[in-house]
Amino acid sequence: MKSCGRNKGGGNIPVYGYIRVSTREQCEDRQLIALREMAVPEGNIYLDKQSGKDFQRPQYRRLVRRMKKDDLLYIKSIDRLGRNYEEILEQWRVLTKEKGVDIVVLDMPLLDTRRGKDLMGTFLSDIVLQVLSFVAENERTNIRQRQAEGIAAAKARGVRFGRPPKPLPENFHAMYQAWKGGKMTGTAAARACGMPLATFRYRAEIYEKAAKL
């Protein structure tokens, strides 16, 4: 038997909630609190924690299989339905047109399919959805662009990303001098320093630049 919640109209219908966070480190508390405020039963809240590369969303698939016509689904924001404009629109179509489910987007009260069941109401909801989906994707694109520009600017200032390099071995200076003076091959110098040849040459280049400062 399904757990039911009470909708705004006062009738008892099956009520569900869906939460998605994009990484396993991101906290879902904000979305969970919003769904609990709408009296969504705990057993009807489905949660996916997915990375950007893995968008299988097993809990979402379970939720879609479970929901029936006229069930009610709450989500905190429209971008919980997908990663991009096309995916959001497709999931909205599947849920509202194929499954016949009602959707309420808590961050955008206009996106409440229980309102305006006539043709004009449906048309307006679809228009609002398309605009918001485009805005959501455009904002994600802008964020990625700003991040890329910030990283490029930081690299131009000499900021290094990733783990700091290991300290040079004590004999590096001597091996470097021997290699530069032609007394030792790069392969032999690298082996004496306990590092691959490519690493030795890379660290030697940095060493030379630092010595000129």
Side-chain angles (χ1 to χ4, degrees):
M1 180 179 297
K2 291 182 181 179
S3 299
C4 294
R6 182 170 293 274
N7 67 356
K8 292 181 181 179
N12 284 322
I13 61 171
V15 178
Y16 297 91
Y18 178 65
I19 296 171
R20 178 176 67 82
V21 288
S22 57
T23 68
R24 297 192 181 280
E25 291 78 24
Q26 188 176 352
C27 182
E28 66 273 9
D29 289 352
R30 185 174 63 91
Q31 296 179 63
L32 187 59
I33 290 171
L35 295 181
R36 285 172 175 166
E37 289 178 350
M38 303 308 298
V40 179
E42 293 289 333
N44 286 2
I45 296 177
Y46 289 74
L47 166 65
D48 278 313
K49 292 188 178 183
Q50 302 289 298
S51 68
K53 296 181 179 179
D54 179 11
F55 206 68
Q56 298 303 313
R57 298 199 293 173
Q59 293 302 310
Y60 179 76
R61 296 201 305 272
R62 287 183 57 196
L63 170 63
V64 173
R65 287 196 299 267
R66 183 178 176 187
M67 286 189 300
K68 306 297 182 185
K69 187 176 185 302
D70 296 327
D71 288 354
L72 176 60
L73 173 65
Y74 285 104
I75 55 175
K76 183 71 170 68
S77 57
I78 191 61
D79 58 358
R80 299 305 87 192
L81 287 182
R83 293 171 297 183
N84 53 51
Y85 176 68
E86 290 80 8
E87 196 164 54
I88 292 171
L89 292 179
E90 173 61 16
Q91 292 307 311
W92 185 274
R93 184 193 65 79
V94 168
L95 292 170
T96 61
K97 303 298 193 296
E98 294 185 8
K99 300 286 294 187
V101 172
D102 276 319
I103 304 176
V104 175
V105 181
L106 297 175
D107 283 353
M108 179 52 62
L110 285 174
L111 288 178
D112 182 344
T113 60
R114 299 170 301 177
R115 306 182 185 207
K117 288 291 188 179
D118 58 7
L119 182 60
M120 181 57 67
T122 301
F123 173 75
L124 291 175
S125 291
D126 287 347
I127 290 297
V128 172
L129 171 68
Q130 293 194 40
V131 171
L132 290 177
S133 299
F134 174 78
V135 170
E137 182 180 8
N138 191 57
E139 178 60 21
R140 285 192 295 270
T141 300
N142 289 338
I143 289 173
R144 288 194 295 268
Q145 181 176 348
R146 289 194 294 267
Q147 289 174 336
E149 291 173 350
I151 292 173
K155 286 183 177 180
R157 296 195 304 269
V159 177
R160 293 183 57 82
F161 294 87
R163 293 180 298 178
K166 294 181 180 180
L168 293 173
E170 293 182 358
N171 65 339
F172 183 85
H173 178 74
M175 296 301 101
Y176 167 78
Q177 293 293 341
W179 170 62
K180 291 295 289 184
K183 299 177 182 179
M184 179 179 287
T185 66
T187 300
R191 186 181 303 113
C193 290
M195 59 180 64
L197 177 59
T199 302
F200 176 79
R201 287 178 172 172
Y202 173 72
R203 299 299 295 273
E205 182 180 351
I206 296 175
Y207 188 78
E208 287 177 1
K209 291 179 179 178
K212 293 177 181 178
L213 295 179

